[in-house]
Amino acid sequence: EQRLHMGQRRGEVARGERALLALYLLRFVSALAAGAVAVLTALLAVDVARMLRARPAHDRRSTAVALAAGSGIALLPALADSGGRVDTDIYATLIVVISTRLAIRWAGRPDRATSWLLGAVLAVAVLTRETALVAAIPVIVATASLVRSKQLDLATAARALAPPLVASFAWIGF
């Protein structure tokens, strides 16, 4: 039988239990994020395998972006490790995987929508955790490749790079 605390009505959750419920809710959301990381990483692997098989010019750029992302994650093993655990670091890993997929798409076709999405994800990376800044590595490779091939105009670059710059100034300001 459930014991009631002083001032508690039947069916009401005690104050200490509210914190526990919030913790379980956060763990559940983290578990969903871990599942998203697993699925997106598998899709990323499939994308890279397709790129290695196809080998047109934009796929070579995309492959370079994917390899840069893998190298960045290899430089921070804690980031790769957090992809297998359900904790708060999973969000940094999720951001890196999402930004890598977007950078690959952006390297192949730098359109307006992808530029804004990439910029938004990079801004979230800046505001989330310092390990999420690994997301910048594939974007730098994609940007360099697009500039070299003269496929990147200033407006498209600004859409992708302005949001994380604004976020970094906001981070520094607070």
Side-chain angles (χ1 to χ4, degrees):
E1 179 176 313
Q2 182 182 10
R3 300 175 94 200
L4 296 178
H5 300 284
M6 197 148 33
Q8 180 184 6
R9 296 187 190 122
R10 189 168 291 287
E12 186 178 53
V13 178
R15 283 184 204 163
E17 292 175 4
R18 285 185 190 144
L20 192 58
L21 286 174
L23 181 66
Y24 284 136
L25 179 62
L26 288 173
R27 298 291 283 176
F28 176 73
V29 171
S30 293
L32 290 177
V37 166
V39 169
L40 289 171
T41 302
L43 290 173
L44 185 60
V46 168
D47 287 347
V48 171
R50 283 186 190 147
M51 287 183 273
L52 290 173
R53 203 169 1 130
R55 297 246 178 214
H58 73 83
D59 279 346
R60 280 196 302 268
R61 279 194 306 272
S62 299
T63 303
V65 170
L67 292 174
S71 300
I73 292 172
L75 292 173
L76 273 174
L79 189 66
D81 179 50
S82 69
R85 290 178 291 141
V86 179
D87 62 7
T88 55
D89 290 336
I90 194 69
Y91 301 109
T93 306
L94 182 61
I95 290 166
V96 169
V97 173
I98 290 171
S99 66
T100 300
R101 292 208 51 170
L102 285 170
I104 289 170
R105 184 165 45 160
W106 195 58
R109 191 186 68 230
D111 61 357
R112 178 179 288 188
T114 305
S115 297
W116 279 122
L117 277 171
L118 185 59
V121 171
L122 289 175
V124 171
V126 167
L127 297 173
T128 301
R129 192 163 169 94
E130 65 276 0
T131 53
L133 293 178
V134 170
I137 295 171
V139 176
I140 291 168
V141 171
T143 303
S145 176
L146 289 168
V147 167
R148 206 168 347 126
S149 67
K150 297 182 170 73
Q151 290 186 320
L152 187 64
D153 60 56
L154 187 57
T156 304
R159 285 183 197 102
L161 303 176
L165 285 175
V166 170
S168 65
F169 289 130
W171 181 259
I172 292 167
F174 291 104

